[in-house]
Amino acid sequence: MKAGKGVAKAEDSAPFTIKAFNSEYPEIHMQDIVASNGKFFIGNMTGSVCPRGVRDCPVGNVTALQTTKEGYAYLDVVNKTQVVYVDSQSGLRFNPPGVEAGQDSRNATFSLTTNPIPAPPAFSALKFSGVGRSTGYLACPIPPTTEVWEVFVSTNNLIEDGDSWVPSGDVSDCIGFDAFASNYTSPVAAAYQYL
């Protein structure tokens, strides 16, 4: 999916929000995963913008996504042009407004699995099955505190060689989790654009 092809199709999923699920770690468990600065975080605020002159902009304080039957994921914005992907260092990313999604976006394969165990009722699981044999997601703390966590996909490359890729410089600081999705119901997109 490329930026600029901004039409949602009928077979795309309904918009959804995502939460981290790992009941052994209350610092991330059932916390929202949000888009900001081209990345995804736990414990941060959603980053969005409404350009000048645009009337009736969505509030933009919620991060919502959609998936396609082809396996792409994109943010629920007005023009459907912000693609979610996994970069070469296993980071969960999205392209900035007005910038076409790069090569990494072609390697992304996302899907929603209904009624996953041990998810609470009314949740689906957001799975990634692109490059690197993913085994789920990782929340990696951003020093000096553990209040904000950057989200990565847990790939073999990250586990074996990724110390320099994560904010703390040590992959063993990261916490594994499942990403659970719940429907986002709104008559309008969740944001005009995410930053």
Side-chain angles (χ1 to χ4, degrees):
M1 176 184 292
K2 293 186 176 181
K5 309 260 179 175
V7 179
K9 294 182 274 189
E11 61 268 23
D12 293 354
S13 74
F16 57 89
T17 60
I18 45 178
K19 292 182 182 291
F21 189 92
N22 183 336
S23 58
E24 294 180 21
Y25 293 92
E27 56 267 52
I28 68 163
H29 182 58
M30 296 305 286
Q31 298 297 313
D32 292 329
I33 298 172
V34 302
S36 181
N37 294 315
K39 302 177 182 182
F40 288 84
F41 298 94
I42 297 167
N44 204 0
M45 308 244 332
T46 294
S48 66
V49 66
C50 184
R52 273 192 180 167
V54 175
R55 296 171 55 167
D56 300 323
C57 248
V59 175
N61 61 355
V62 172
T63 297
L65 297 84
Q66 289 182 264
T67 58
T68 70
K69 71 174 186 176
E70 296 86 9
Y72 293 107
Y74 57 89
L75 291 165
D76 183 34
V77 294
V78 169
N79 57 11
K80 309 294 184 210
T81 57
Q82 291 188 272
V83 178
V84 178
Y85 63 94
V86 176
D87 71 9
S88 60
Q89 297 181 335
S90 300
L92 190 63
R93 306 289 186 247
F94 65 93
N95 60 299
V99 176
E100 191 166 293
Q103 172 120 6
D104 288 333
S105 67
R106 285 181 257 169
N107 299 325
T109 305
F110 293 92
S111 62
L112 287 175
T113 303
T114 57
N115 301 318
I117 302 298
F123 279 87
S124 299
L126 180 64
K127 300 289 188 181
F128 174 78
S129 57
V131 295
R133 295 191 300 279
S134 163
T135 57
Y137 297 87
L138 289 176
C140 299
I142 300 176
T145 70
T146 55
E147 294 176 1
V148 178
W149 305 71
E150 188 176 340
V151 176
F152 291 80
V153 169
S154 181
T155 62
N156 288 347
N157 291 343
L158 178 64
I159 301 304
E160 294 168 8
D161 303 315
D163 282 343
S164 65
W165 303 347
V166 300
S168 71
D170 188 348
V171 172
S172 67
D173 292 337
C174 303
I175 298 172
F177 69 90
D178 293 315
F180 286 164
S182 61
N183 286 345
Y184 173 73
T185 53
S186 172
V188 297
Y192 189 87
Q193 297 173 328
Y194 290 96
L195 294 178

